[in-house]
Amino acid sequence: MHFVDAKGILTGSGGFCGMNVYRGCSHGCIYCDSRSRCYQFTHDFEDIEVKRNAPELLDSALRSKRKKCMIGTGAMSDPYMHIEKELKLTRTCLEVINRHGFGATLLTKSDLIMRDIDILAEINENAKCVVQMTVTTFDDRLCGILEPNVCTASRRFEVLAAMQERGIPTMVWMTPILPFINDTEENITGILRECIRVGVKGIVCFDMGLTLREGDREYYYAALDRHFPGLKQHYIETYGNAYMLPSPDARKLMSVFKNICTEHGIMCSANECFAYLNEFPEKYKQYSLFDQN
């Protein structure tokens, strides 16, 4: 890792702002879009850039905001990668968010988030907190290939159940679904069965497939050569150099996904999920002097 003094920490405005305390990742997921060259990394992806002044920048930014909103993290880099255990920058930022009365939503694959369940529950009590976890397969063996340096899928569902027990709403990102690898009805229904069991509020699934761009394509294909010999050639013959790589069974699998979610009252529209994540609650009614008890 290497340290930088960032100039700013929040992106976006209005009802939702995002932040990334780290840049790069150590989880080693074979499909990671953040490796794409379009994001203009000037260092190795595994050489994590640490924004050491993130808590101070966040404190200053939240002080100047007139209206409270949700603060999200995890879209580009996991807030709970390995170095967070030592540095605790994500936790410090959560303490800043809680102190100023803002909401928080975090997207991770790591059970290190359990360390912070106390502050997450406090944020949710005072405002709103949503914990999101990415789950691409319910098979722990396959999970170890696709996402080698982070906790198993079964452990992630344990984390989601623990959050639910503390009253913290949860969501799952069921993406990407990799053609010819985890794009099976057995995998989709297996994930959904666990989502139902642990009571997730919504599931984000844009489609059944994968996107590849320059930078992450090369990394992904190298992983296919290591773990799925011959599959890279099948990808090239099927998709060429396309950005979007839909599963051949995408239509059927999306139908299964939507039907099961609808049956169990789980949000499955990406727009609906994002609207919920972005919504900051008005927890306290403003009473008029003329209101009667």
Side-chain angles (χ1 to χ4, degrees):
M1 62 182 172
H2 64 281
F3 295 86
V4 299
D5 289 316
K7 294 180 179 180
I9 192 65
L10 289 184
T11 59
S13 60
F16 184 88
C17 289
M19 69 174 183
N20 284 293
V21 176
Y22 304 108
R23 199 157 184 257
C25 193
S26 56
H27 288 163
C29 304
I30 70 171
Y31 51 74
C32 181
D33 176 73
S34 293
R35 292 180 179 275
S36 300
R37 296 225 173 103
C38 65
Y39 299 119
Q40 299 178 341
F41 273 79
T42 56
H43 55 86
D44 290 340
F45 193 72
E46 286 78 13
D47 177 15
I48 313 302
E49 180 179 286
V50 179
K51 299 175 184 177
R52 58 187 163 196
N53 60 336
E56 293 79 12
L57 289 173
L58 181 62
D59 183 68
S60 177
L62 297 188
R63 283 179 187 276
S64 66
K65 277 194 167 294
R66 294 183 178 180
K67 189 174 182 180
K68 291 182 174 29
C69 66
M70 297 296 291
I71 309 296
T73 188
M76 281 292 296
S77 293
D78 198 305
Y80 287 101
M81 65 184 74
H82 301 87
I83 58 175
E84 167 61 19
K85 187 174 183 179
E86 172 190 349
L87 298 179
K88 299 181 180 178
L89 284 176
T90 295
R91 179 172 180 98
T92 305
C93 285
L94 289 172
E95 291 168 349
V96 171
I97 289 169
N98 189 43
R99 186 163 64 247
H100 288 287
F102 283 70
T105 176
L106 303 94
L107 173 60
T108 184
K109 295 185 179 84
S110 174
D111 59 353
L112 180 56
I113 195 173
M114 286 295 295
R115 180 200 66 189
D116 295 341
I117 194 169
D118 59 337
I119 188 70
L120 296 172
E122 195 170 328
I123 291 171
N124 192 54
E125 182 177 346
N126 295 333
K128 176 183 173 183
C129 182
V130 185
V131 169
Q132 307 167 74
M133 297 206 88
T134 298
V135 182
T136 60
T137 175
F138 80 104
D139 180 339
D140 283 348
R141 183 198 63 81
L142 182 57
C143 182
I145 295 172
L146 305 183
E147 301 147 357
N149 303 329
V150 70
C151 69
T152 61
S154 58
R155 174 58 179 158
R156 291 175 216 175
F157 281 113
E158 290 176 1
V159 170
L160 290 167
M163 296 293 169
Q164 189 72 16
E165 287 174 5
R166 291 293 294 268
I168 302 167
T170 58
M171 284 193 175
V172 159
W173 284 58
M174 193 173 71
T175 182
I177 300 300
L178 310 177
F180 317 117
I181 296 178
N182 62 346
D183 60 336
T184 65
E185 187 168 346
E186 178 188 16
N187 183 50
I188 302 307
T189 56
I191 294 172
L192 294 178
R193 184 170 59 247
E194 288 298 282
C195 288
I196 294 163
R197 181 179 67 82
V198 301
V200 303
K201 191 171 188 70
I203 303 173
V204 177
C205 178
F206 301 106
D207 205 346
M208 300 293 170
L210 168 71
T211 60
L212 289 179
R213 288 187 274 207
E214 186 181 7
D216 69 313
R217 178 182 284 106
E218 292 82 355
Y219 190 85
Y220 182 65
Y221 280 172
L224 293 187
D225 282 340
R226 288 194 307 273
H227 301 292
F228 307 97
L231 189 54
K232 178 179 78 173
Q233 188 58 36
H234 189 29
Y235 266 71
I236 293 170
E237 291 171 355
T238 305
Y239 301 108
N241 206 37
Y243 167 62
M244 299 186 68
L245 287 65
S247 164
D249 295 322
R251 182 175 296 182
K252 180 185 77 171
L253 295 176
M254 283 302 291
S255 177
V256 169
F257 165 65
K258 290 178 180 178
N259 288 341
I260 293 177
C261 287
T262 300
E263 179 183 350
H264 292 274
I266 297 174
M267 288 188 292
C268 60
S269 158
N271 288 339
E272 187 179 8
C273 289
F274 288 136
Y276 173 75
L277 291 171
N278 294 350
E279 180 188 14
F280 185 83
E282 294 294 335
K283 288 219 168 189
Y284 305 104
K285 180 180 176 182
Q286 299 295 315
Y287 285 98
S288 163
L289 291 174
F290 301 101
D291 285 345
Q292 296 183 6
N293 293 331

